[in-house]
Amino acid sequence: MDIQVAASPQEDVVAKILNKSKSVQKLSKGGKTYTFFNVIGATEKEVKVFRIYQCHKFSTIFIGKTYKFVKVTKREGTLIVNSNCPITFTAPITVPDHLRDEMHLLPEDVPTTGTPSTISEALQTAGRSAITGKVVQISPPKYARDSALPIRCLSVKDSTSTVKVCLFERNAEMTFSPSDTVQLTGLYKSTYQGFLPDAANIQVNPEDKLDDPDFQTAAAPGLKPGVSITEFLSVSVYECCRNQKCRKKKLVSQKCPTCQLEDKDTPSKTCFMSLMYKHNEQPSKFSIFQEDLEKLIGETCNLDSEESLVEQIANKLPLTFSCVIQKGTFQNVSI
Ligand SMILES: [Zn+2]
């Protein structure tokens, strides 16, 4: 049998067999079918997974016996026993109790959701894992592949360690809060499985935060609650580009300066309101555009005329809201 294995150091491993495939396994790859069986073997220090490409040995490997696997190589955490690796019986070794008591799943028995593990164990295993822990940090979402792939990172802590987990697609778009208890399964894929009851035995402390650039938010100025607007300077209703990505760009001579779209017949309309607002003792001019304005007045802006819009807004004064004030604008406006 011809097995291609990347050159890697060979080693001799003496191990006591803890578990063994129930039957010979088959794997098709590159037009070839390989047959092998897996065993879980424990040395005096750790548990290892062996993939044995010697099916004629299947009936001679016994659970509980100690073997020496000669010139094995390692691939993705699994020890590969090729047809040219001698397997010999050897004197029994003593396996520490804690190694024997751990759960040792054969690769074919590992569920697709992964082996339930502590974070420390998950970090050491080559296979899929499922972990439970508390959210410490949540990164802002990022978008890859031309904005088609949302990505978000969490740092998650359990009683053994803290780890950074990357979430993709729908999982990345979920809302997380610090100290949420989460279970993350299929950790290759980082599939998020939902919130769990509070894990009272895990305490999240400020020092658990990882110093990792993915968790640094864009400069986040404080939220200013209770902004109250009792008067405004003016409103403007104007024609705008109907192309969504132009974000209601004001038309100049019936043409969008951004996308050059000409719209003589059915231009969209939008509006803004100007007002003076005193922030840090400095009065400055602010504008509130249609979307925020509608949030604040709780209805669709009347764009028939500036007069009708003035009347509509005036009847809703005062406008009270929370927002972030940055560079003379109200951002993240919410009531
Ligand atoms: Zn445009």
Side-chain angles (χ1 to χ4, degrees):
M1 185 178 293
D2 175 30
I3 307 291
Q4 298 293 325
V5 179
S8 68
Q10 297 181 330
E11 55 180 318
D12 298 348
V13 181
V14 173
K16 179 178 268 186
I17 306 304
L18 303 179
N19 205 351
K20 174 181 138 184
S21 291
K22 295 200 171 40
S23 59
V24 167
Q25 309 287 304
K26 279 185 186 167
L27 176 74
S28 296
K29 207 173 177 182
K32 288 183 180 176
T33 300
Y34 301 106
T35 52
F36 58 90
F37 61 100
N38 297 309
V39 302
I40 306 290
T43 68
E44 287 165 311
K45 288 184 186 143
E46 57 187 331
V47 174
K48 294 169 185 282
V49 178
F50 297 77
R51 175 178 287 197
I52 303 175
Y53 287 97
Q54 299 180 36
C55 292
H56 61 282
K57 292 270 188 182
F58 182 75
S59 56
T60 65
I61 303 284
F62 301 104
I63 292 172
K65 294 269 184 295
T66 300
Y67 297 82
K68 184 177 186 181
F69 299 90
V70 181
K71 292 184 187 173
V72 299
T73 51
K74 204 169 191 175
R75 191 167 64 204
E76 289 167 5
T78 298
L79 293 173
I80 304 296
V81 185
N82 277 319
S83 51
N84 54 357
C85 300
I87 303 173
T88 59
F89 287 99
T90 186
I93 58 166
T94 307
V95 172
D97 287 347
H98 74 270
L99 289 184
R100 258 185 305 153
D101 297 343
E102 281 171 21
M103 181 159 59
H104 305 299
L105 289 178
L106 290 158
E108 61 267 35
D109 294 337
V110 174
T112 52
T113 52
T115 310
S117 315
T118 65
I119 290 175
S120 295
E121 288 164 354
L123 289 172
Q124 282 166 28
T125 175
R128 285 182 297 271
S129 304
I131 63 166
T132 300
K134 273 190 178 175
V135 173
V136 181
Q137 289 151 287
I138 305 126
S139 79
K142 288 181 184 174
Y143 295 87
R145 293 187 204 149
D146 287 336
S147 306
L149 178 66
I151 302 172
R152 194 196 291 279
C153 300
L154 302 179
S155 64
V156 176
K157 182 192 183 186
D158 74 356
S159 55
T160 63
S161 190
T162 303
V163 72
K164 175 172 139 183
V165 181
C166 290
L167 306 176
F168 300 94
E169 299 182 331
R170 271 182 40 223
N171 294 322
E173 291 175 322
M174 294 187 65
T175 306
F176 298 91
S177 302
S179 291
D180 283 338
T181 297
V182 293
Q183 185 183 53
L184 299 146
T185 62
L187 266 193
Y188 276 144
K189 295 174 193 160
S190 304
T191 307
Y192 175 71
Q193 293 284 305
F195 293 107
L196 297 175
D198 185 61
N201 59 328
I202 305 170
Q203 202 66 44
V204 173
N205 304 309
E207 61 267 26
D208 296 324
K209 295 194 173 185
L210 300 178
D211 185 16
D212 183 297
D214 277 336
F215 293 115
Q216 284 160 17
T217 42
L223 189 72
K224 190 170 167 57
V227 170
S228 184
I229 303 221
T230 55
E231 58 201 289
F232 56 93
L233 291 169
S234 63
V235 297
S236 173
V237 175
Y238 56 95
E239 295 179 342
C240 65
C241 182
R242 58 182 153 81
N243 246 341
Q244 199 142 35
K245 59 180 186 218
C246 292
R247 295 173 168 267
K248 304 199 168 177
K249 185 80 181 171
K250 188 174 182 172
L251 298 185
V252 179
S253 313
Q254 296 177 312
K255 196 173 177 181
C256 172
T258 306
C259 72
Q260 310 300 326
L261 181 84
E262 280 199 59
D263 208 341
K264 292 200 173 88
D265 303 326
T266 53
S268 297
K269 275 181 169 182
T270 188
C271 64
F272 69 84
M273 174 178 82
S274 298
L275 60 116
M276 295 303 291
Y277 184 78
K278 211 171 176 182
H279 180 53
N280 296 337
E281 295 306 306
Q282 283 288 33
S284 44
K285 197 170 173 177
F286 281 79
S287 298
I288 301 180
F289 288 86
Q290 183 181 356
E291 194 180 324
D292 282 339
L293 204 49
E294 290 180 343
K295 239 189 257 178
L296 299 182
I297 64 176
E299 52 191 60
T300 309
C301 286
N302 184 338
L303 301 176
D304 291 343
S305 68
E306 291 180 349
E307 190 185 342
S308 53
L309 182 60
V310 165
E311 189 184 332
Q312 185 185 25
I313 298 171
N315 283 330
K316 299 283 180 182
L317 293 176
L319 302 177
T320 305
F321 54 94
S322 308
C323 66
V324 172
I325 296 181
Q326 203 175 23
K327 291 179 192 155
T329 60
F330 301 126
Q331 297 177 3
N332 302 338
V333 170
S334 63
I335 306 174

